[in-house]
Amino acid sequence: MSSLKSTELVVFEVSGCHFSLPLAIVEEVVPATKITLIPNSPAFLLGLAAVRGKVLGVIDASKRYGLPNSLNGYFLVCMVRGNLTAISIDQPIFAGQLYVRELPDSEKEKLRAKFSMDPKFVNGAYEIFQTTDDAGATQSSGIYTLSVEPDLFVSAEM
């Protein structure tokens, strides 16, 4: 097994799949609010929503990634191509300084294929570990994530 490293991530769930983004680009995770539709927009752009006084575009992560419909219970508010954007997700799982094992390409490919994810969205994959005692011992949480490229939530078609 490769060694563990410590990194700051947000781990979230969409349609039964776990994803991770660098914590540095995430502003907050909030319960989903009312969305105003935008006519003639791409299917993955749900519309606009007010989040803490800011009007943000809302992207449906399940539609963007070609996954089954999701619960869309939360907005992950993050920087996408230099703009604050709300990404509709099922739920947050972990956020903060996490111990991870970077998965080798063969394991990453199996995880990506399990969810039929387009490889262009996937940067890498991790197994998440949890600290089990005050001495810093760790064990696997059983959660495996696909690390995704945030700027690809939007594309040239927008």
Side-chain angles (χ1 to χ4, degrees):
M1 180 195 313
S2 59
S3 63
L4 299 183
K5 69 177 185 176
S6 178
T7 188
E8 290 188 331
L9 295 174
V10 171
V11 177
F12 56 98
E13 183 177 340
V14 176
S15 301
C17 185
H18 295 113
F19 298 97
S20 59
L21 286 172
L23 183 61
I25 67 158
V26 177
E27 185 168 301
E28 63 183 326
V29 178
V30 297
T33 61
K34 182 180 177 187
I35 299 170
T36 302
L37 301 177
I38 301 172
N40 303 316
S41 60
F44 62 84
L45 179 62
L46 294 177
L48 300 172
V51 178
R52 299 201 194 278
K54 299 174 188 167
V55 177
L56 305 177
V58 180
I59 295 172
D60 184 330
S62 64
K63 286 185 177 143
R64 183 66 179 132
Y65 291 149
L67 299 171
N69 287 337
S70 68
L71 300 174
N72 294 332
Y74 292 86
F75 292 158
L76 187 145
V77 178
C78 63
M79 293 303 290
V80 176
R81 293 192 181 211
N83 297 304
L84 208 52
T85 305
I87 309 300
S88 184
I89 64 171
D90 291 351
Q91 63 181 345
I93 305 294
F94 296 114
Q97 195 74 32
L98 300 174
Y99 289 102
V100 300
R101 175 179 70 92
E102 192 162 350
L103 301 180
D105 287 344
S106 60
E107 287 183 61
K108 175 181 78 172
E109 181 54 29
K110 283 181 190 174
L111 188 59
R112 188 202 61 74
K114 177 180 176 182
F115 295 100
S116 302
M117 284 284 297
D118 187 326
K120 76 178 178 187
F121 292 117
V122 179
N123 284 340
Y126 300 112
E127 177 181 11
I128 307 296
F129 283 73
Q130 294 178 303
T131 305
T132 58
D133 61 27
D134 291 339
T138 59
Q139 73 178 32
S140 177
S141 67
I143 294 177
Y144 295 82
T145 76
L146 292 170
S147 174
V148 291
E149 172 55 53
D151 285 347
L152 293 181
F153 277 120
V154 296
S155 67
E157 61 211 25
M158 293 183 70

